[in-house]
Amino acid sequence: MAPRQAPRPGLGRPARLAGVLTLLLALVGSGLWLVTRVGPGDPDPTDDRAPGAWMEERSRVRVMLAGDSMTHGAGGDRTWRFHLWNHLDPHVENLDFVGPYSDPATPEQIIPPELFGGDEDAERDAEGEGEPGVGQGGHLGSPEERRAERPFAGPAPAEGLDPSGFPDLPDPSGAPDGRTYRDPDFDQDHNARWGRTLADALTTIGADVATHQPDVLCVLIGINDLLHPITAEEMEQRLRAYVQAARESNPRIRVLFAEAPPITLADKDQGFALRVYVYNELVRSVAADTATEESPVASFDLAGAESWDPHTDTYDGTHPNDGGEMKIAAGFADALSREFGLGPAHARPLPIHP
C-alpha cells in the first residue's frame, strides 16, 4: 500500500468564504444581466432614454405614413392607415398623422387618361408590359375580380374608352367620383402616392418633412422601383438618400422601414423575386448603418412577422384586402412600440375573418 500523501496546503474556511463572497459580488456587478437582461427590442428599465421618453417633451406626436399604393389605397378602401390610427389614438396623447395628402387614389391616378390615347408606350402598359396594376394581368386584377369582392358603385367608363382592364374602384358611400374611404373615421393625412417609387419619393421627402415636421416617419415603399432591372447599389443609394433628406429637415426624426412584402409577380418572375430579396437585405443593413442615438432608424420584416401571403392577403396579388390592411397596421404597431415606445403592441389574434 502506498503511503498516504501529506495534506497539501490550501485555503482555510474563512478564506474560502471570502473567495465565494468576492465571486458573488463580481456576479452581481457584471453578470447579473444573465438573469435580468432586457429582451431584444424591450426598453431598458435602467435607461433614462427608454424608447418612449422622447414623447414627453412634445405637445403633439406627429407621424407621417409614406409610401406607394399599398399605403395610399383606393376609393372604397379603409387602408391600413385607418387601422393603425384606431389602434394608436386611444394610447398616444395628441397623436397627429401628417402629410401633404388626405384622399385615397382616384381612378385617374390609377389609370391615367393618357393610357387610352394610343401612343406606343401607353399601349404597351395597357397590355400589361408596364407597371403591374395597369391593364390586363396587372396587380389591380380584372374588373370581374374586383367586382366580386367589392361591387362597383361608381360611374361607367367614359364613352369611347375600352373598359377591359379598367379598375373598378368601389365606393360604398355612393360618391360618384370614387374619392371616399369606406370608413372615414381616422386622421387621413398621409404621404403616399399610387405608383410612387423610392427614386421619386427621395426627391420630395425633405420638403415634406420640413413642412409637416413629423417626429416619426413610417415607410413602406420600393416595389415599384424593383419592377424593372436595377442594381443593388442604386437601391442602396436611394435608401440612404431618402434617410438623409428626411434627416436634413428634422435631425431628430425617427424612421421605421417595413421590408417589402412579396407580391404574386414573384411567382412567375425570378428576377423580380431576387430583386425583392436583395432590397429587403439592404433595408435591414441601411437602417442599422444609418441609425444614430439622436435619429434612430429601424426596420422590420412585415411578411415574416405577419405571415403575409399575397394570395390571401391581397385582392389582386399586390394591394392589401381587409385582412391584409389589418396585418400591415399590426406589423407597424408592433414595430413602433418595440423600437420607439410609441403605443402598445397590437392585440392578438387579429380580427381577420376568412
Side-chain angles (χ1 to χ4, degrees), residues 141-320:
S142 69
E144 291 75 20
E145 290 170 335
R146 288 188 62 99
R147 190 176 298 112
E149 179 161 349
R150 297 180 300 184
F152 182 43
E159 183 179 355
L161 295 183
D162 178 5
S164 64
F166 193 87
D168 291 336
L169 297 180
D171 187 359
S173 71
D177 58 4
R179 296 175 183 272
T180 305
Y181 293 101
R182 186 185 304 185
D183 189 338
D185 187 21
F186 70 109
D187 188 335
Q188 299 169 9
D189 294 334
H190 65 87
N191 190 6
R193 301 298 281 171
W194 199 282
R196 172 168 278 180
T197 61
L198 180 58
D200 169 63
L202 68 86
T203 67
T204 61
I205 190 61
D208 293 337
V209 169
T211 300
H212 300 282
Q213 286 297 305
D215 302 298
V216 177
L217 176 61
C218 297
V219 189
L220 175 56
I221 201 168
I223 285 292
N224 290 321
D225 300 77
L226 306 173
L227 295 172
H228 308 287
I230 185 171
T231 66
E233 289 76 14
E234 288 177 288
M235 289 306 293
E236 180 177 359
Q237 290 170 1
R238 293 177 185 182
L239 284 167
R240 291 181 179 276
Y242 186 89
V243 173
Q244 180 179 352
R247 191 175 275 164
E248 286 176 354
S249 296
N250 180 359
R252 302 177 66 186
I253 196 167
R254 287 162 166 77
V255 184
L256 177 62
F257 283 100
E259 296 176 23
I263 64 176
T264 55
L265 178 63
D267 295 342
K268 56 186 177 182
D269 187 335
Q270 293 184 350
F272 172 75
L274 179 60
R275 291 192 292 275
V276 172
Y277 173 81
V278 172
Y279 173 71
N280 286 337
E281 292 286 327
L282 288 171
V283 168
R284 288 193 287 274
S285 63
V286 169
D289 190 49
T290 56
T292 66
E293 182 176 315
E294 185 180 30
S295 175
V297 182
S299 68
F300 72 101
D301 178 5
L302 171 62
E306 302 302 330
S307 302
W308 182 269
D309 183 345
H311 298 279
T312 58
D313 294 323
T314 73
Y315 58 75
D316 57 4
T318 298
H319 299 97

Side-chain angles (χ1 to χ4, degrees), residues 84 88 216 218 256 331-343:
L84 183 62
L88 291 176
V216 177
C218 297
L256 177 62
F332 270 101
D334 289 356
L336 287 169
S337 179
R338 179 177 63 248
E339 301 294 343
F340 304 146
L342 182 62

Side-chain angles (χ1 to χ4, degrees), residues 20-33:
V20 170
L21 289 173
T22 300
L23 178 60
L24 287 174
L25 289 173
L27 287 172
V28 169
S30 63
L32 192 59
W33 65 273

